């Protein structure tokens, strides 16, 4: 028969810390602490497998569970010498959730379970404290009614507030036993009035009601949201921990509290936490009473007058310090601990690896390694790569007031404050005048690049996490909120409305790109600090990783930022981003309007000096490192306006022929430009475009080599190739142009020719391409689009429904689909490598900065990943962790 229940307490346990998947984090650690001989109230854990069975079988319990719970209760009764439901000697229990990964506050808990009108009298007699007994009963009624019976806390708070007002008191501890008896009577009356039935008196009915409620809380909205945010699979389920109650509300010798063995904000190696005398656990976090510091030093720093635990309970505090020291040494990590003192006796209720800021995580990992508690490899594995975002961008002061006016997607982390602008040109103009601006657009296009660059942050009403706005913003290090669908923009009026409010151009807003929030007014910021601990850990990571890390960069600022963060080259330079400057866009449009090749070449000759100058700057910054240059990719229609009014305005300001512009716009219109005349199809139709770009790349490389003595390593990439014959044509075009450049210069540089794999056919026929391509760069953004047949810019309209229903576990544009898209990459790597054993392969785009996707790249054996500059440190750390896992080293540890 399947074992559904595991006991702990009394100095022994059925499980241990290694059984987190089965017992949940809380249950596994309660078992571990029991085995260590620490003071743990006895209890038992109902496994996560029981929860999985519950949801897989119409919310019914597995066979044998009731009997095993009954046996578990009997064992606890034997250890504590009390009986569940007994009127004269009652055992009371807590019922708590406990998933594999810590989800603090997301699921439900019930304390003091087992109290009824008879057992409360028994508790009063046993404790000799009638006030304590009825205080516990009113707490139980409130919590059980809310968690299990679906009532509101407000129903009970109103009753309690009325009593306090009549008595003229402000804190709960001022109420006497007789007061609590009256409160309990009114609470029960509220339940019967609201539900039409009495508050349940049968302790066994109470227990199973609480177990069902904890299982149900696994699927509540806040738990679902938390799981999405932290990539916790729904299929894991939660365990339920049933534990004998110990009471911190039994007078002045009792207390309850929460402690961290190190400061979770700074990482300082000093006990950190709070406690309350004569209280239960929820009092510490509810804010009804002001908690007190654990240590005298903490009290003095905070300027508190109430005594610390160290001063109020010196003997228990000494024991507590000894226990928490043992726990940190045993778990070899900073611990988050819940404890209760019952009439001078210490009880440990929970320990887990504590949540911490990125700054704290770095310091704790480095310090523990230096203290010899963990190895450097373990230190690398302890820091969540994505948490480094907190260190690389300005963030909002957590103590500042926030007024959220709209919610979207957290597309690019960081925070920014500025005046609202709705136009890219206006953003640039105001920025040049010294104003900080936030660009608010329905959606952005490549033509908005200058405004995005000028803005402190970007908000779009449409688009997803890998939309144009999101990708470019991350590349620039600009915070961005995308897909804020509740924002309605009226560009003519110069306003946007959201949540019943209207905001005008020029008004100040703040955006939090890490949370996807738009906030009213200016909110205080905290600037990033890259501390010595950051440099130390990154140095250790670089020493173990195999994957190289490059950056997606198209501007000198991007390139310098990337190098500052440790990039080892450029994995994707999108050359179209260089075309939108005012001086260049006119020549681009002249090329588009040209009637023949001669006209196009004349216009391209005007663009070429700008392209060469751009590459000289990039190659100088990246001297000696590889730079992958993607030749022109977007369809030509993106370079000209779309509406007649915009075309007329352009014609009037530029002297271009409006009639000709409109005709050309009609000619270039495509029903599905994503799959139209773009990428290498431009190079085949108009070879002169790619010839100009190749010439500019190689002339710039030679110039940098001659000026600095160090040659860059240009990698010329042709996008959207699907056919071996396409690749052959483009390779010959590149080599022919290179030969002419080298002959004219009397000098040469090494260069590679390759392609971006972004079409399923290209992946399947990679062997054909590898006959002419020296490298593959997997463009996973587009490869995901073309594999799924989903537009990344429009998927936000329906993708959430897929996530909510569990059809997609994660957004495939954020985390690489390792089954479908991943199979295509594996096939391409295998077939490309068979045709050309020395072929170089990497990925570029947003997946290159996602830790799970980086782990996949390590498994497949790619040579490098490329990501936006501000994600380079994340990629470096994730690559190191992936290397450790692939070698059988320490995997990144989750919460115990």
């Amino acid at each position: 028969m399947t074992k559904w229940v595991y006991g702990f307490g009394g100095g022994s346990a059925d499980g241990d810390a290694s059984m987190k998947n089965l017992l949940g984090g809380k249950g596994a650690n309660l078992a571990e602490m029991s085995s260590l001989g620490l003071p743990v109230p006895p209890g038992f854990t109902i496994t996560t497998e029981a929860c999985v069975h519950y949801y897989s079988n119409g919310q019914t319990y597995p066979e044998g569970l009731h009997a095993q719970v009954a046996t578990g209760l009997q064992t606890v009764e034997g250890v504590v010498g009390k009986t569940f439901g007994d009127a004269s000697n009652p055992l009371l229990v807590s019922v708590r959730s406990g998933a594999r990964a810590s989800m603090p506050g997301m699921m439900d808990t019930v304390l003091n379970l087992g109290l009824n009108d008879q057992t409360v009298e028994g508790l009063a007699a046993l404790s000799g404290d009638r006030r304590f007994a009825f205080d516990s009963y009113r707490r139980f009624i409130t919590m059980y009614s809310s968690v299990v019976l679906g009532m509101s806390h407000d129903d009970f708070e109103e009753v309690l507030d009325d009593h306090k007002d009549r008595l003229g008191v402000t804190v709960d501890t001022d109420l006497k036993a007789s007061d609590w008896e009256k409160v309990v009577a009114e609470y029960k009356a509220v339940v019967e009035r609201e539900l039409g039935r009495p508050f349940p008196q049968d302790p066994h009915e109470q227990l199973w009601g609480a177990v069902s409620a904890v299982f149900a809380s696994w699927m509540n909205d806040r738990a679902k949201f938390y799981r999405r945010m932290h990539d916790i699979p729904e299929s894991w389920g939660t365990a339920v921990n049933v534990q004998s109650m110990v009471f911190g509300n039994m007078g002045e010798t009792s207390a309850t509290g929460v402690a961290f063995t190190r400061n979770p904000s700074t990482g300082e190696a000093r006990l950190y936490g709070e406690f309350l005398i004569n209280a239960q656990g929820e009092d510490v976090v509810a804010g009804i009473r002001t908690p007190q510091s654990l240590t005298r030093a903490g009290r003095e720093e905070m300027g508190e007058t109430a005594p610390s635990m160290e001063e109020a309970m010196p003997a228990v505090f000494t024991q507590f310090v000894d226990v928490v020291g043992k726990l940190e040494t045993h778990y070899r990590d900073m611990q988050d601990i819940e404890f209760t003192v019952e009439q001078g006796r210490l009880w440990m209720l929970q320990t887990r690896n504590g949540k911490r800021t990125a700054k704290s995580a770095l310091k704790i990992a480095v310090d523990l390694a230096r203290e010899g508690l963990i190895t450097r490899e373990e230190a690398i594995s302890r820091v969540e790569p994505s948490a480094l975002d907190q260190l690389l961008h300005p963030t909002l002061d957590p103590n500042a007031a926030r007024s959220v006016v709209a919610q979207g997607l957290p597309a690019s982390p960081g925070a920014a404050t500025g005046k609202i602008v709705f136009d890219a040109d206006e953003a640039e103009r105001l920025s040049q005048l010294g104003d900080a601006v936030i660009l608010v657009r329905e959606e952005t296009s490549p033509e908005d690049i200058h405004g995005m660059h000028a803005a402190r942050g970007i908000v779009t009403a449409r688009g997803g996490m890998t939309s144009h706005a999101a990708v470019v913003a991350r590349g620039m290090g600009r915070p961005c909120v995308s897909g804020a669908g509740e924002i309605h923009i009226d560009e003519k009026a110069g306003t946007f409305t959201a949540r019943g409010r209207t905001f005008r151009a020029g008004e100040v807003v703040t955006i939090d790109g890490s949370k996807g929030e738009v906030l009213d007014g200016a909110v205080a910021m905290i600037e990033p600090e890259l501390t010595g601990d950051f440099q130390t850990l990154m140095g250790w990571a670089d020493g173990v990783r195999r994957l190289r890390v490059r950056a997606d960069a198209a501007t000198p600022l991007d390139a310098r930022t990337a190098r500052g963060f440790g990039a080892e080259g450029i994995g994707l330079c999108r050359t179209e981003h260089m075309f939108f400057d005012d001086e260049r866009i006119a020549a681009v449009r002249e090329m588009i309007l040209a009637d023949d090749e001669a006209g196009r070449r004349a216009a391209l000759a005007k663009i070429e000096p700008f392209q060469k100058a751009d590459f000289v700057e990039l190659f100088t910054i990246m001297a000696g490192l590889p730079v992958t240059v993607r030749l022109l990719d977007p369809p030509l229609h993106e370079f000209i306006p779309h509406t007649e009014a915009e075309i007329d305005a352009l014609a009037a300001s530029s002297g271009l022929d409006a009639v000709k512009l409109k005709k050309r716009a009609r000619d270039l219109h495509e029903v599905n430009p994503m799959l139209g005349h773009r990428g290498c199809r431009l190079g085949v139709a108009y070879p002169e475009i790619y010839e100009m770009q190749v010439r500019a790349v190689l002339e710039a490389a030679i110039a940098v080599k001659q000026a600095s003595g160090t040659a860059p390593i240009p990698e010329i990439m042709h996008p959207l190739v699907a056919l071996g014959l396409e690749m052959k044509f483009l390779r010959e075009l590149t080599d022919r142009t290179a030969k002419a450049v080298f002959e004219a210069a009397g000098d040469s540089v090494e260069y590679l020719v390759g392609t971006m794999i972004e079409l399923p056919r290209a992946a399947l026929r990679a062997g054909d391409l590898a006959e002419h391509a020296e490298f593959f760069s997997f463009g996973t953004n587009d490869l995901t689009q073309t594999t799924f047949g989903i537009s990344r810019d429009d998927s936000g309209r329906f993708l959430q429904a897929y996530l909510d229903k569990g059809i997609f576990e994660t957004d495939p544009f954020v985390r690489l689909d390792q089954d479908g898209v991943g199979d295509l990459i594996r096939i391409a790597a295998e077939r490309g490598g068979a045709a050309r054993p020395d072929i170089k392969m990497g990925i570029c785009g947003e997946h290159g900065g996602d830790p799970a996707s980086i782990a996949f790249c390590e498994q497949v054996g790619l040579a490098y990943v490329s990501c936006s500059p501000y994600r380079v440190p994340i990629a470096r750390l994730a690559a190191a962790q992936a290397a450790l896992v692939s070698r059988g080293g320490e995997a990144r540890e989750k919460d115990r």
Side-chain angles (χ1 to χ4, degrees), residues 50-387:
C51 182
V52 172
H53 180 283
Y54 180 80
Y55 280 108
S56 300
N57 293 273
Q59 298 185 22
T60 58
Y61 295 121
E63 184 181 351
L65 179 61
H66 280 82
Q68 291 184 32
V69 166
T71 301
L73 268 176
Q74 288 173 1
T75 302
V76 174
E77 289 170 344
V79 174
V80 301
K82 299 177 181 179
T83 303
F84 190 62
D86 186 88
S88 60
N89 187 27
L91 168 68
L92 304 184
V93 298
S94 63
V95 180
R96 300 172 184 256
S97 62
R100 290 192 207 180
S102 176
M103 296 173 58
M106 296 302 109
M107 291 180 292
D108 290 328
T109 292
V110 179
L111 304 179
N112 306 306
L113 189 142
L115 281 172
N116 59 24
D117 293 348
Q118 288 74 46
T119 57
V120 71
E121 297 291 349
L123 182 64
L126 278 175
S127 65
D129 187 344
R130 192 169 186 81
R131 184 205 169 279
F132 149 71
F134 277 87
D135 175 34
S136 300
Y137 196 12
R138 66 93 185 182
R139 292 171 183 271
F140 172 56
I141 293 172
T142 304
M143 190 172 282
Y144 192 89
S145 298
S146 171
V147 170
V148 182
L149 304 181
M151 295 179 64
S152 169
H153 270 287
D154 296 340
D155 295 328
F156 304 101
E157 289 301 318
E158 188 176 331
V159 171
L160 182 55
D161 289 343
D162 286 345
H163 273 274
K164 287 180 179 177
D165 290 342
R166 283 200 302 271
L167 295 168
V169 301
T170 56
V171 294
D172 297 354
T173 49
D174 290 338
L175 272 70
K176 300 180 178 65
S178 58
D179 300 322
W180 285 128
E181 288 184 62
K182 293 172 186 174
V183 169
V184 165
E186 287 196 46
Y187 277 10
K188 290 192 296 180
V190 168
V191 172
E192 188 156 8
R193 184 182 70 239
E194 293 294 320
L195 301 182
R197 61 183 188 275
F199 185 82
Q201 294 289 302
D202 180 357
H204 291 279
E205 177 190 343
Q206 294 172 357
L207 176 61
W208 286 103
V211 170
S212 295
V214 170
F215 279 168
S217 70
W218 177 249
M219 298 300 289
N220 69 32
D221 289 341
R222 65 181 184 272
K224 287 180 179 178
F225 182 80
Y226 189 92
R227 288 199 295 274
R228 283 199 300 269
M229 290 292 289
H230 295 276
D231 297 322
I232 299 171
E234 183 180 292
S235 59
W236 282 2
T238 182
V240 180
N241 299 286
V242 179
Q243 190 173 19
S244 57
M245 282 293 300
V246 289
F247 299 96
N249 59 329
M250 291 187 74
E252 296 302 307
T253 61
S254 301
T256 188
V258 175
F260 294 84
T261 56
R262 301 183 187 227
N263 189 311
S265 295
T266 67
E268 184 181 6
R270 194 169 66 167
L271 190 62
Y272 175 95
E274 299 172 322
F275 87 117
L276 274 173
I277 292 174
N278 195 17
Q280 285 199 338
E282 69 266 27
D283 296 341
V284 178
V285 296
I288 298 169
R289 293 169 57 191
T290 302
Q292 298 155 235
S293 292
L294 290 176
T295 65
R296 182 173 60 190
R299 176 184 65 77
E300 291 171 349
E301 283 181 14
M302 297 301 292
E304 297 170 356
T305 56
S308 65
M309 183 180 175
E310 183 178 8
E311 295 162 310
M313 299 179 165
V316 177
F317 180 76
T318 299
Q319 181 190 0
F320 179 67
V321 169
D322 179 60
V323 169
V324 299
K326 287 178 179 175
L327 285 172
E328 180 171 282
T329 300
H330 179 75
Y331 283 98
R332 301 181 307 125
D333 202 354
M334 183 263 278
Q335 294 299 290
D336 170 3
I337 293 161
E338 292 180 16
F339 67 94
T340 285
V341 180
E342 181 183 88
Q343 296 184 320
R345 184 176 181 184
L346 176 67
W347 293 97
M348 305 303 292
L349 305 183
Q350 173 175 288
T351 192
R352 61 188 176 193
N353 291 347
K355 301 289 185 185
R356 62 205 79 180
T357 64
K359 180 179 179 181
S360 175
L362 282 167
K363 179 170 177 55
I364 290 170
V366 171
D367 284 354
L368 289 174
R370 287 173 172 160
E371 291 165 20
L373 274 179
I374 62 175
T375 64
R376 288 184 176 184
E377 288 76 15
E378 287 175 299
I380 292 166
S381 299
R382 290 281 176 89
V383 178
E384 192 74 36
S386 56

Side-chain angles (χ1 to χ4, degrees), residues 868-883:
S868 57
Y870 280 85
R871 294 187 72 81
V872 165
I874 294 170
R876 288 165 63 193
L877 182 56
Q881 292 179 353

Side-chain angles (χ1 to χ4, degrees), residues 472-488:
V472 173
R474 284 192 287 269
M476 293 178 171
R478 301 289 189 277
C480 175
V481 176
S482 67
E486 59 187 320
I487 286 179
H488 301 282

Side-chain angles (χ1 to χ4, degrees), residues 6-7 15 28 68 210 222 230 244 258 281 352 365 370 408-409 413 465 474 631 745 753 766 781 790 793 826 831 891:
Y6 287 71
Q68 291 184 32
R222 65 181 184 272
H230 295 276
S244 57
V258 175
R352 61 188 176 193
R370 287 173 172 160
L409 299 171
M465 293 286 283
R474 284 192 287 269
L631 303 186
V753 181
N781 291 346
I790 294 176
D793 291 324
R826 291 186 188 93
R831 295 179 180 178

Side-chain angles (χ1 to χ4, degrees), residues 362-439:
L362 282 167
K363 179 170 177 55
I364 290 170
V366 171
D367 284 354
L368 289 174
R370 287 173 172 160
E371 291 165 20
L373 274 179
I374 62 175
T375 64
R376 288 184 176 184
E377 288 76 15
E378 287 175 299
I380 292 166
S381 299
R382 290 281 176 89
V383 178
E384 192 74 36
S386 56
L388 296 181
D389 262 344
Q390 294 176 31
L391 303 177
L392 308 178
H393 301 269
T395 56
L396 295 182
D397 185 338
N399 299 316
R402 305 166 71 103
S403 174
V404 179
V405 300
Q407 179 77 47
L409 299 171
S412 183
T417 296
K419 295 179 179 178
I420 297 167
V421 295
F422 297 99
D423 175 78
D425 292 336
E426 181 69 359
E428 187 173 54
R429 185 185 73 81
L430 290 176
S431 177
Q432 290 170 350
L433 294 175
D435 288 344
V437 299
I438 302 294
L439 180 62

Side-chain angles (χ1 to χ4, degrees), residues 471 552-554 572-578 628 630 781 845-846:
V471 171
D552 303 343
L572 177 61
C573 172
R574 299 176 172 96
T575 55
E576 60 270 14
H577 287 185
M578 302 170 171
T628 304
R630 184 179 72 183
N781 291 346
E846 290 312 292

